[in-house]
Amino acid sequence: MRSGRNNGLVIAIDGPSGAGKSTLTRLLAQRLGYIHIDTGAMYRTLALAVSRSGLPLDDEAAVAALCGGIEIRFRRDDGGYRVIANGEDVSLAIRTPEISMLTSQISAQGGVREILLKLQHEMGREGGVILEGRDIGTVVFPDAEVKFFLSATPLERGQRRFLELRDKGVQATLEDTVAAVVQRDEQDAARELAPLKKAPDAVEIDSTGITIEEVLSRMEQLVRERVPSP
Ligand code: DC
């Protein structure tokens, strides 16, 4: 294997919320037979634990100590995955608008990022994986063999998020969802540690007004061009 990894390549997919990362990562992983690692879900899982604990966010040492005790697993399920934290299925609980905002806040803390960086390295280093997040191509796997940066206009991203939430039965208005998406992206891009940023060698795809199928074919073609038989 050209990459020197045992199971295949590392593919990094970064971008702001609602850019289509989750859907595209899931579909691309299915096409390539790769494992999908949703790093946002990992940050969300820690945020849920912090929220339940009632710890003050500014006690970074206590937050990191709590997060270090949480075992996060993905359980494959019917083409998708469930998120398991210390044995509990938290897949739905981590998707509320409140947890989204809290996640964006705690993911700015160095202690929290250190814990997940280590875990994500362990999960991905043998390859055969697609990781989606904000800092995969810049910090987690700067040596990823293929990198994408997905974008779309704030309105389109907010609309997608709104539809996702509605499908999951989460109460939200379109206006609030667009505003929350914009606020979260500003926070994620402005933070000091591992901010949301396109890696210089990432291929940027703006999916505004393009179907998922079209973006997916472009991505798959690019992966296959770079690697004859992934
Ligand atoms: O992709 P998502 O919306 O589930 O991510 C939730 C939050 O987690 C996002 O606002 C920022 C943070 N995050 C991060 O800081 N680094 C990552 N690699 C993934 C997510």
Side-chain angles (χ1 to χ4, degrees):
M1 170 76 41
R2 192 182 75 172
S3 65
R5 308 188 201 271
N6 286 326
N7 300 333
L9 308 175
V10 170
I11 301 175
I13 303 189
D14 290 305
S17 37
K21 294 190 303 289
S22 290
T23 308
L24 286 160
T25 306
R26 179 169 50 81
L27 296 172
L28 188 62
Q30 278 169 8
R31 289 204 180 172
L32 299 172
Y34 272 29
I35 290 172
H36 174 176
I37 302 176
D38 177 353
T39 65
M42 299 169 85
Y43 282 97
R44 286 171 178 274
T45 300
L46 298 188
L48 178 68
V50 172
S51 159
R52 287 176 175 173
S53 74
L55 278 176
L57 288 196
D58 58 2
D59 189 346
E60 296 198 12
V63 167
L66 173 81
C67 292
I70 296 165
E71 190 220 20
I72 306 172
R73 283 191 304 115
F74 290 105
R75 200 180 67 218
R76 305 295 137 194
D77 169 41
D78 223 9
Y81 55 90
R82 311 294 301 177
V83 187
I84 314 292
N86 286 351
E88 178 193 348
D89 186 335
V90 294
S91 313
L92 273 183
I94 61 172
R95 299 289 167 193
T96 64
E98 294 73 27
I99 293 299
S100 297
M101 207 47 89
L102 182 65
T103 307
S104 178
Q105 287 172 284
I106 73 146
S107 64
Q109 298 190 6
V112 170
R113 298 207 75 83
E114 214 175 290
I115 291 165
L116 290 187
L117 179 66
K118 190 161 165 272
L119 194 55
Q120 288 158 14
H121 265 155
E122 279 165 19
M123 293 168 108
R125 69 169 171 241
E126 292 299 343
V129 291
I130 311 184
L131 295 100
E132 52 148 318
R134 304 290 187 289
D135 62 338
I136 309 303
T138 50
V139 175
V140 185
F141 282 103
D143 61 344
E145 284 75 26
V146 188
K147 298 180 187 179
F148 293 103
F149 190 87
L150 298 179
S151 62
T153 61
L155 180 61
E156 176 129 350
R157 293 187 291 107
Q159 277 168 339
R160 288 181 193 161
R161 248 307 129 88
F162 173 70
L163 294 177
E164 267 170 36
L165 290 174
R166 212 186 50 183
D167 282 352
K168 289 190 175 114
V170 177
Q171 294 289 324
T173 66
L174 175 60
E175 201 186 10
D176 288 350
T177 311
V178 174
V181 157
V182 170
Q183 187 190 338
R184 204 143 63 83
D185 291 339
E186 279 171 6
Q187 273 171 205
D188 295 343
R191 71 178 177 223
E192 213 170 299
L193 298 170
L196 164 65
K197 195 169 71 182
K198 175 185 169 302
D201 52 345
V203 175
E204 180 159 6
I205 302 181
D206 183 336
S207 65
T208 309
I210 311 181
T211 64
I212 290 281
E213 184 51 44
E214 230 172 300
V215 181
L216 180 64
S217 321
R218 266 198 228 172
M219 293 170 86
E220 187 185 3
Q221 193 187 355
L222 220 132
V223 173
R224 295 202 189 274
E225 263 168 30
R226 293 205 176 176
V227 192
S229 49

